[in-house]
Amino acid sequence: MPIKESELILNPDGSVYHLNLKPKNISNTILFVGDQDRVEKITKHFEHIEFETQKREFKTQTGTYKGKRITVISTGIGPDNIDIVLNELDALVNIDLETRQAKATKTSLDIIRIGTSGSLQKHIPVDTFLMSEYALDINGMLHYYQIDHISNTAIEDAFVKHTNWHKNKSRPIVIENSKYLERKFEGTNIHKGFTATAGGFYGPQGRVLRLPLQDPKLNSKIDTFEYNTMCITNLEMETSAIYGLSKLLGHNALSLNAIVANRSNGSFSDNPGKIIDDLILYTLDRI
C-alpha cells in the first residue's frame, strides 16, 4: 500500500521535504555534525564535492575523500531534529519515492556522528576522543516507536533506581552502538563511553537561569551512576536518538566526540578547534 502524501512529504522536484535530497545525492557513508558551519570543516579535506544543498539547518555536501564517496549532513540540535534526518535518509534508500512503496531489499547506511562534548568523569580529560559504546536516552522521543527489542532493561532499571527517576518523566532507554563501526573506529587513542542524551540544553541538563528544576540533584546522580564498572561519561543531545532510530531502521551508527571540557574538574580545552579537526581527520581516515 502506498505511503500517503501527508506522511512522506516530497518537494515539487521530488526531493524529501526537510533535507531537500534525492536518492542520488547521498552516499551510503554519512557523517553527522550538529552545526551547519562544521560541514565545510570536514569537506575542506575532500578532493571533490559533487553535490551540495541546504534547507533550514540541514546542510548537505557529498564528495570524495581518498577515493571514498562520503556525505556530510548537519542535523541541527536535539533528538527531534535527528527524528527528521534519520527518517528522511532512510526514505531515500529504502522507499521508492515514485511508487511510495517500501523496497523489498533494504539498504543499510553507515552513520557516524562527529560531535563535541564535555566529560563527566575525571579519567576522560579534555583534548581526547570518546566513542559512545552505549547511549542513555533521557529525553523520551524514542518512546513514540516500538523499542522493546533494542533497549537494555537491566541497565535502565538500575539507572531508574539510582536516580529515583520521577514517574512523570519518560522512562530512560539504553541503546548500544553498532559493533561493526565500533571495531572500525576503535584505537588506543580513543575512550569508550556511555553517553547520556538530554532533550534540551538548560533544564534537561541541569542548568538553572530563572526556572527551578524538578530534580536539582539529577546531574550529581548521573555523574555517580555505575553499572558493572560502567559509568556515564558525557552528556549531549543527539546520540541516543541516532542509535535508537538507526537500530530500528536497520542502519549502523556510531557517535564520536571531541572532549572539549571536563565538568568534574572544571577544565576547558585551550584549543578546541584543534581537537575537533584531529577527530575529523581520524574519522575520515578510518572510513
Side-chain angles (χ1 to χ4, degrees):
M1 184 176 181
I3 299 170
K4 297 177 182 178
E5 292 184 12
S6 60
E7 311 305 292
L8 175 58
I9 305 169
L10 302 179
N11 295 311
D13 66 352
S15 61
V16 289
Y17 183 66
H18 295 91
L19 300 186
N20 208 34
L21 294 170
K22 297 179 182 179
K24 66 181 181 180
N25 300 142
I26 65 167
S27 165
N28 283 5
T29 300
I30 298 178
L31 301 181
F32 280 1
V33 294
D35 183 359
Q36 57 192 327
D37 292 336
R38 195 171 291 167
V39 171
E40 291 180 351
K41 291 182 179 180
I42 297 175
T43 59
K44 71 180 182 181
H45 299 289
F46 286 11
E47 294 94 33
H48 170 67
I49 295 174
E50 67 181 68
F51 172 82
E52 58 184 311
T53 189
Q54 181 168 2
K55 186 176 180 182
R56 303 182 187 180
E57 64 265 54
F58 307 114
K59 182 174 182 176
T60 303
Q61 291 187 339
T62 296
T64 53
Y65 176 80
K66 295 184 178 179
K68 296 170 283 192
R69 188 170 185 254
I70 300 169
T71 294
V72 186
I73 298 178
S74 61
T75 64
I77 298 174
D80 51 343
N81 273 21
I82 298 300
D83 184 56
I84 290 171
V85 174
L86 257 161
N87 274 290
E88 292 194 2
L89 284 175
D90 181 76
L92 289 172
V93 295
N94 289 319
I95 297 173
D96 185 316
L97 300 185
E98 293 186 2
T99 66
R100 296 180 169 272
Q101 300 271 12
K103 296 179 180 178
T105 302
K106 300 298 187 291
T107 296
S108 181
L109 301 171
D110 289 347
I111 298 168
I112 303 105
R113 174 184 180 269
I114 300 177
T116 57
S117 189
S119 170
L120 306 181
Q121 306 297 335
K122 291 180 180 178
H123 71 278
I124 301 177
V126 297
D127 298 330
T128 59
F129 302 159
L130 184 141
M131 168 193 298
S132 302
E133 190 171 13
Y134 289 88
L136 171 68
D137 187 290
I138 53 173
N139 60 79
M141 186 274 289
L142 289 171
H143 279 293
Y144 287 90
Y145 300 97
Q146 297 178 12
I147 58 168
D148 290 349
H149 62 294
I150 67 165
S151 63
N152 188 314
T153 55
I155 304 177
E156 293 163 7
D157 288 343
F159 181 79
V160 167
K161 182 178 180 181
H162 175 79
T163 58
N164 190 26
W165 195 253
H166 195 277
K167 62 181 178 62
N168 289 341
K169 291 180 178 177
S170 296
R171 175 183 165 86
I173 311 162
V174 174
I175 311 116
E176 200 171 11
N177 67 11
S178 161
K179 292 305 172 187
Y180 154 71
L181 288 179
E182 179 181 318
R183 290 188 295 270
K184 195 170 184 177
F185 285 88
E186 64 187 354
T188 56
N189 61 337
I190 188 165
H191 295 276
K192 292 185 180 180
F194 186 5
T195 299
T197 300
F201 184 77
Y202 289 95
Q205 293 191 39
R207 292 182 173 92
V208 178
L209 300 184
R210 292 202 312 115
L211 298 176
L213 301 176
Q214 180 273 321
D215 184 356
K217 296 182 179 179
L218 181 58
N219 273 17
S220 63
K221 295 174 185 177
I222 290 173
D223 292 352
T224 57
F225 174 71
E226 287 190 15
Y227 184 87
N228 291 345
T229 73
M230 182 171 63
C231 60
I232 297 172
T233 51
N234 60 313
L235 179 63
E236 46 77 271
M237 294 177 63
E238 288 82 35
T239 296
S240 71
I242 295 169
Y243 282 10
L245 289 173
S246 293
K247 281 199 179 295
L248 292 173
L249 291 165
H251 304 297
N252 302 302
L254 187 69
S255 180
L256 304 176
N257 292 270
I259 299 299
V260 297
N262 185 293
R263 195 171 75 185
S264 67
N265 59 30
S267 60
F268 191 84
S269 173
D270 291 331
N271 191 353
K274 182 181 185 302
I275 189 64
I276 294 167
D277 287 340
D278 289 348
L279 179 59
I280 288 169
L281 287 172
Y282 178 89
T283 305
L284 290 173
D285 287 332
R286 289 292 183 113
I287 290 175

